[in-house]
Amino acid sequence: MNWEEKDNKLVKDFKFKDFNEAFAFLTRVAILAEKHNHHPEIYNVYNKISLSLTTHDSGSKVTDKDINLAKAIDGLS
């Protein structure tokens, strides 16, 4: 897992060939997030995506929920 822990969040940047590829990835992330009942903060500009994971219910810190979702997201790419 190559996510960076920064400001009590797991963060990772992704870059894709174009907007369609990036959006398709985001769709897969959305489906995973629903299955995990844990939703990332998402920033998207054209072919670049930045995801941040933190558990707000636990005081906005990194928990196993974040780590498990990060691993699942890594399985998509």
Side-chain angles (χ1 to χ4, degrees), residues 26-73:
L26 280 179
T27 301
R28 294 191 306 275
V29 168
I31 292 166
L32 261 182
E34 282 295 303
K35 287 180 182 176
H36 284 251
N37 193 29
H38 193 52
H39 304 88
E41 296 173 8
I42 299 168
Y43 180 76
N44 169 236
V45 175
Y46 185 59
N47 67 334
K48 296 175 187 165
I49 296 170
S50 180
L51 298 179
S52 299
L53 300 169
T54 190
T55 304
H56 300 288
D57 294 345
S58 293
S60 294
K61 61 182 180 180
V62 175
T63 67
D64 287 342
K65 285 181 84 170
D66 305 300
I67 293 166
N68 292 336
L69 183 54
K71 288 178 181 177
I73 290 169

